Amino acid sequence: MTLKMRLLATAHALPQRTVTTAEVAIRCGVDPHAAETGTGVRERRWLSGTETALSLGTRAVQDALTRAGLDVADVDVLLNASGSQLQPIPDGAALYARELGLSGAAAYSVHATCLSFLAALHHAALLVHTGQARHVVIVSSESSSLGLNFSQPESALLLGDGAAAVVVGPAETPEQGIEAVRFETYPAGADYTRMRAGGSLLSPLTPGLTPADFQFDMQGLQVLKLASRVVPAFLERLRPGLSTGLPGIDHVVPHQASAAGLALMARYGWPEGRIEVTLTHLGNVVAASLPLTLHQALEHGRAGPGSTVLLAGTGAGLSTGGLILRL
């Protein structure tokens, strides 16, 4: 059953500061050329000055609403779908609502690390399809540069900052909406991508904590190995034939995990020209990668009305997610 909905608008907001991989490589003590070749990232954006994940996300939402021809008063639900937590309490969505002047509407977070936007898009579709909401705004905003560990080049060389927003509303045609969606989690990979401290298991008062406990930690090779084992069967459960081709799919919008992660797609028989890439100039922007990459595909006309798009990726957990969207 298709969950009937459509994308009314997308928008992005990027930090002013552009940081090359060569700059990050020097801080990590590695060869700049090897770093760019290995990661596939040429440059990324990092927060600077007074910029915050909150200010970027707010800008993205305001732009998306303008593009959709809507006012903030038209928003029924605001979903914060970000991996970067603004603060533990209240929920970050309340802070976005305050910045936007949104009062009385529902505002809450949907959190699935790098797959947060996919989970939020599914949730928004359910709300619109069932008539519980008419206009839902999703915002994904990341400030990964604030938690980098430069003694771990594997992750420090990959991550960037940025925000994107999407406005979801009722479908105009019977075909518009989500044709298929699936999420799976393989907790054998729970320790492969993590930030250990800051929650109740390791609170700030826990003796012996170091700054590294509050920084991003990733075992990229282990993530890649586990993903390569579980993703093909996952794709088949999402839609038969996806592990060997793109049946019924016009364009692929993947999470920009890494160059190695994107390279895996060639094994599935997915043509390079039908895969949208932002990794080279934005890096891995965690939960914002998927909506940023979707926005680019729409802005450049590689996806548009009537086309069918596969959005897919992996996240910490290890979790896999995929969603087939008819625009």
Side-chain angles (χ1 to χ4, degrees):
M1 179 189 71
T2 298
L3 292 177
K4 295 179 176 58
M5 48 74 76
R6 67 185 174 107
L7 304 184
L8 302 183
T10 65
H12 72 195
L14 300 175
Q16 293 185 355
R17 182 186 176 194
T18 298
V19 180
T20 66
T21 293
E23 293 177 65
V24 186
I26 292 170
R27 295 186 66 172
C28 293
V30 300
D31 177 70
H33 178 71
E36 184 172 328
T37 302
T39 62
V41 181
R42 182 180 65 251
E43 62 187 32
R44 79 284 289 138
R45 302 295 186 93
W46 280 359
L47 297 174
S48 64
T50 59
E51 293 174 329
T52 64
L54 180 60
S55 67
L56 287 184
T58 301
R59 277 173 43 204
V61 171
Q62 290 170 332
D63 189 13
L65 288 173
T66 298
R67 288 166 174 252
L70 298 174
D71 188 78
V72 69
D74 298 314
V75 177
D76 301 307
V77 180
L78 171 69
L79 300 178
N80 172 32
S82 308
S84 300
Q85 191 178 27
L86 296 175
Q87 64 185 42
I89 297 174
D91 182 81
L95 303 183
Y96 282 113
R98 183 172 63 187
E99 292 297 308
L100 292 162
L102 177 66
S103 182
Y108 49 93
S109 289
V110 177
H111 181 50
T113 60
C114 294
L115 297 177
S116 296
F117 173 75
L118 273 193
L121 185 57
H122 180 216
H123 184 69
L126 289 168
L127 291 173
V128 171
H129 177 84
T130 56
Q132 297 177 73
R134 183 169 179 82
H135 299 127
V136 180
V137 173
I138 304 168
V139 56
S140 298
S141 188
E142 302 292 356
S143 53
S144 300
S145 63
L146 303 180
L148 296 180
N149 183 346
F150 293 102
S151 66
Q152 189 185 87
E154 184 178 23
S155 58
L157 290 165
L158 274 176
L159 299 176
D161 302 336
V166 172
V167 183
V168 176
E172 288 186 322
T173 68
E175 297 80 17
Q176 282 179 323
I178 295 176
E179 297 181 352
V181 61
R182 189 172 186 89
F183 294 92
E184 297 177 359
T185 296
Y186 298 87
D191 289 338
Y192 296 161
T193 310
R194 62 185 183 177
M195 185 177 290
R196 299 176 63 243
S200 61
L201 293 181
L202 290 178
S203 75
L205 300 180
T206 303
L209 289 184
T210 68
D213 292 312
F214 294 87
Q215 294 172 319
F216 185 70
D217 174 58
M218 182 178 73
Q219 300 177 46
L221 182 58
Q222 296 303 319
V223 172
L224 191 65
K225 286 181 177 178
L226 181 54
S228 66
R229 291 200 303 270
V230 303
V231 167
F234 162 78
L235 291 171
E236 288 298 312
R237 287 187 285 271
L238 176 62
R239 172 174 285 180
L242 278 180
S243 68
T244 56
L246 290 173
I249 303 297
D250 298 307
H251 204 60
V252 179
V253 174
H255 171 52
Q256 309 290 300
S258 65
L262 292 176
L264 281 178
M265 296 177 190
R267 298 185 184 181
Y268 311 142
W270 298 358
E272 184 178 342
R274 289 163 68 182
I275 300 173
E276 196 72 22
V277 177
T278 54
L279 182 74
T280 53
H281 56 282
L282 293 180
N284 179 338
V285 199
V286 197
S289 275
L290 274 165
L292 282 168
T293 307
L294 175 62
H295 175 71
Q296 176 178 283
L298 293 170
E299 287 288 282
H300 289 251
R302 289 186 283 272
S307 61
T308 300
V309 177
L310 168 65
L311 296 98
T314 60
L318 177 102
S319 295
T320 59
L323 185 151
I324 298 173
L325 176 65
R326 181 74 178 267
L327 296 173

